[in-house]
Structures are given as structure tokens and as C-alpha cells.
């Protein structure tokens, strides 16, 4: 059996996360994605960045907790278009979901359901790490995981 030595992240102190958190997402429909992300994260500030050319529109959504960059490229294609079949994103190398920590997972999920945004499945938990989470899918099918530590 091969053993892998793990270095405690605290000892590294190189990339400790701080607020705000950041996501950048390539989207098919900029307006639909803006509505979804502003609803999920309660963002009121959305501004379009100046266009470099006519092939991309970029919109920055921001709050004190999270900054989300949405880009709609005229030449972008879905994973299904590229792979030729309905390939789950977790079967393709690279990032397949983004996670954001929330202060209270239960109240966040309840508020999202009231806004007609349903998690995929039920809230999950891992007793070993003390983490709980819910998974959402944005309008393009990207995974957004909401996480909270048990308190």
C-alpha cells in the first residue's frame, strides 16, 4: 500500500481563504444567469465590464461576501456539445463545482426554496469533518455547493 505524506495546511499559510469569495463562470445566457446568481447569493450590485470586442459580454456581481464574474462568449459551447454525449462534469478533468460557505445552511436552503430554487437532493453531512452541504445547479447545469460547519 502506497502512503502519501500530507502537510497540514495551517503550516503552509500560503493561501488562506478570506472574504469575499470569488467565482468565475462561463454562461450561455448572461441575463438568466445573472437572475439566478443574484437570487441565490442576495447580490444587489451587478455591472457590465467594458467590451474588448463583440465576442464576449462580462458582468460582475458583488456583495461583501462573494464576487461572481459571469462571461458569455459567443464562441463558447457546452460540455455536451464538445464531448458529444451527456457527460457529467465530474468525469472531465478540471474543476467541476464551486463551493461557498454560508453561516446557516438550513435557513439558506429554506430561503432559496421560497424563491423557487431547489437543491439537488437533500442536505448531506459528514460527521468526520463536521461539514454539512447542499448542492445547487445553475441555469447552465454547473454545480454550486453551499457548505457550513456544524456549530
Amino acid at each position: 500500500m502506497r502512503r502519501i505524506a500530507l502537510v497540514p495546511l495551517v503550516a503552509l499559510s500560503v493561501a488562506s481563504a478570506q472574504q469575499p469569495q470569488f467565482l468565475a463562470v462561463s454562461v450561455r445566457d448572461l441575463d438568466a444567469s445573472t437572475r439566478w446568481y443574484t437570487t441565490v447569493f442576495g447580490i444587489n450590485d451587478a455591472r457590465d465590464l467594458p467590451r474588448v470586442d463583440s465576442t464576449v459580454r462580462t458582468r460582475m456581481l458583488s456583495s461583501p461576501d462573494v464576487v461572481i464574474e459571469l462571461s458569455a462568449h459567443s464562441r463558447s459551447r457546452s460540455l455536451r456539445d464538445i464531448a458529444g454525449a451527456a457527460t457529467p462534469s465530474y468525469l472531465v478533468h478540471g474543476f467541476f463545482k464551486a463551493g461557498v460557505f454560508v453561516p446557516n445552511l438550513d435557513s439558506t436552503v429554506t430561503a432559496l426554496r421560497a424563491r423557487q430554487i431547489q437543491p439537488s437532493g437533500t442536505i448531506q453531512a459528514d460527521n468526520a469533518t463536521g461539514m454539512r452541504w447542499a448542492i445547487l445547479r445553475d441555469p447552465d447545469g454547473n454545480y454550486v455547493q453551499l457548505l457550513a460547519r456544524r456549530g
Side-chain angles (χ1 to χ4, degrees):
M1 174 179 214
R2 184 175 168 217
R3 295 204 182 263
I4 300 172
L6 299 176
V7 177
L9 189 57
V10 175
L12 296 177
S13 305
V14 174
S16 64
Q18 295 180 352
Q19 300 236 348
Q21 297 178 51
F22 175 79
L23 306 172
V25 186
S26 175
V27 300
R28 177 182 53 244
D29 183 330
L30 190 60
D31 294 328
S33 293
T34 297
R35 284 189 297 278
W36 191 87
Y37 281 95
T38 56
T39 300
V40 168
F41 292 104
I43 295 172
N44 294 320
D45 183 26
R47 63 183 175 83
D48 289 344
L49 295 182
R51 288 183 173 196
V52 175
D53 60 37
S54 62
T55 65
V56 64
R57 289 177 55 211
T58 302
R59 185 168 293 152
M60 298 298 288
L61 314 176
S62 63
S63 76
D65 299 319
V66 66
V67 174
I68 301 170
E69 176 184 318
L70 302 176
S71 292
H73 296 266
S74 63
R75 295 180 307 223
S76 68
R77 299 182 319 175
S78 71
L79 179 60
R80 178 179 290 172
D81 291 342
I82 293 168
T87 304
S89 59
Y90 61 86
L91 294 178
V92 177
H93 292 156
F95 294 106
F96 72 93
K97 68 180 167 182
V100 175
F101 281 85
V102 296
N104 185 310
L105 185 61
D106 294 311
S107 64
T108 300
V109 168
T110 298
L112 291 173
R113 285 185 174 136
R115 292 175 175 92
Q116 308 306 310
I117 296 175
Q118 300 295 325
S120 301
T122 60
I123 292 175
Q124 302 292 310
D126 178 20
N127 292 329
T129 61
M131 301 294 294
R132 298 176 66 233
W133 63 88
I135 306 263
L136 307 175
R137 301 291 294 266
D138 77 359
D140 291 304
N142 297 306
Y143 292 100
V144 177
Q145 186 168 353
L146 303 177
L147 304 111
R149 289 189 168 90
R150 288 190 179 168

